[in-house]
Amino acid sequence: MDENIASLASAIGVRVKQERQARRWTLDQLAEAAGVSRRMLVNVEQATTNPSVGTLLRLSDALGVGLPDLVQSPEQKTVKVTRSGEGAVLWSSESGGRGVLVAGTEPPEVVELWDWTLGPGDHHASEAHSPGTKELLQVQHGTVAVSAGDQTVILEVGDSVTFPGDIAHSYANNGAEAARFSLAVFERGVGSGHREAGNE
């Protein structure tokens, strides 16, 4: 792991362990509530793995904290500022693609703001999120193919789309240059334990 990924993994591990211990849960209890293996949970808490976004979503829901809170230190602030370059990189590819969680609100009604870059040929697939999740996306650079359920749309600079995030969906760059888009995700009822266990 590079230094930034290791630092993020460490922060996530500390936060997950703090939240688990605050509830007086064993590793097995959290693993069962989140639908992840005990081994995965141990690896997350010990910062020896870079967990997938799906794993982080399951842990955040089981613990009743939003994904943005899970990847940040637990400071209480009225105004939260994320400076350029300080967002949590939760997905990356060999061609330079990155999914950066820039900001988010607290549960139970969580809104996440993402800054995505897809390198040429990059494809990111996501299984269905919790019921009622909605996503909004706007392309800043290049061309992005967005698939939601059985529909696929091709978006160019300035184009936007809204779609239900509670169905399988994906983002792809089939072009020869990098593509960049902003993504907002709205999830209601975070912490109620209703995320799908298969969201990886």
Side-chain angles (χ1 to χ4, degrees), residues 122-141:
D122 273 348
H123 179 266
H124 176 75
S126 179
E127 294 184 17
H129 299 308
S130 59
T133 298
K134 300 190 183 327
E135 299 198 15
L136 301 93
L137 180 154
Q138 185 184 39
V139 176
Q140 308 299 321
H141 182 81

Side-chain angles (χ1 to χ4, degrees), residues 129-173:
H129 299 308
S130 59
T133 298
K134 300 190 183 327
E135 299 198 15
L136 301 93
L137 180 154
Q138 185 184 39
V139 176
Q140 308 299 321
H141 182 81
T143 302
V144 177
V146 178
S147 296
D150 59 0
Q151 289 186 281
T152 299
V153 294
I154 306 298
L155 304 173
E156 297 183 355
V157 175
D159 292 346
S160 60
V161 65
T162 60
F163 58 93
D166 55 6
I167 59 175
H169 54 282
S170 64
Y171 325 110
N173 176 5

Side-chain angles (χ1 to χ4, degrees), residues 12-24:
I12 291 169
V14 167
R15 185 63 194 263
V16 168
K17 188 172 185 177
Q18 284 176 343
E19 294 292 338
R20 176 178 64 79
Q21 289 177 337
R23 287 157 183 75
R24 298 175 190 243

Side-chain angles (χ1 to χ4, degrees), residues 8-200:
L8 177 61
S10 178
I12 291 169
V14 167
R15 185 63 194 263
V16 168
K17 188 172 185 177
Q18 284 176 343
E19 294 292 338
R20 176 178 64 79
Q21 289 177 337
R23 287 157 183 75
R24 298 175 190 243
W25 285 0
T26 65
L27 287 164
D28 290 328
Q29 287 172 313
L30 177 54
E32 182 178 341
V36 300
S37 70
R38 185 180 194 279
R39 170 57 35 207
M40 172 57 76
L41 183 54
V42 168
N43 289 342
V44 168
E45 288 193 1
Q46 293 179 350
T48 59
T49 188
N50 183 18
S52 70
V53 175
T55 297
L56 292 174
L57 286 170
R58 287 195 298 276
L59 288 170
S60 72
D61 194 50
L63 292 167
V65 299
L67 181 59
D69 285 338
L70 196 62
V71 300
Q72 296 175 16
S73 60
E75 303 167 4
Q76 294 297 324
K77 295 181 181 177
T78 303
V79 176
K80 293 181 184 177
V81 176
T82 304
R83 301 288 181 199
S84 179
E86 292 181 352
V89 180
L90 298 179
W91 177 86
S92 61
S93 73
E94 291 182 9
S95 62
R98 293 167 29 114
V100 182
L101 180 58
V102 177
T105 60
E106 296 179 6
E109 308 300 314
V110 174
V111 179
E112 301 167 0
L113 180 61
W114 292 78
D115 181 9
W116 277 85
T117 301
L118 295 176
D122 273 348
H123 179 266
H124 176 75
S126 179
E127 294 184 17
H129 299 308
S130 59
T133 298
K134 300 190 183 327
E135 299 198 15
L136 301 93
L137 180 154
Q138 185 184 39
V139 176
Q140 308 299 321
H141 182 81
T143 302
V144 177
V146 178
S147 296
D150 59 0
Q151 289 186 281
T152 299
V153 294
I154 306 298
L155 304 173
E156 297 183 355
V157 175
D159 292 346
S160 60
V161 65
T162 60
F163 58 93
D166 55 6
I167 59 175
H169 54 282
S170 64
Y171 325 110
N173 176 5
N174 300 319
E177 64 177 37
R180 185 173 181 184
F181 61 91
S182 295
L183 175 70
V185 180
F186 170 73
E187 298 175 275
R188 66 178 59 170
V190 171
S192 60
H194 64 278
R195 288 192 200 278
E196 296 296 321
N199 182 18
E200 197 57 74

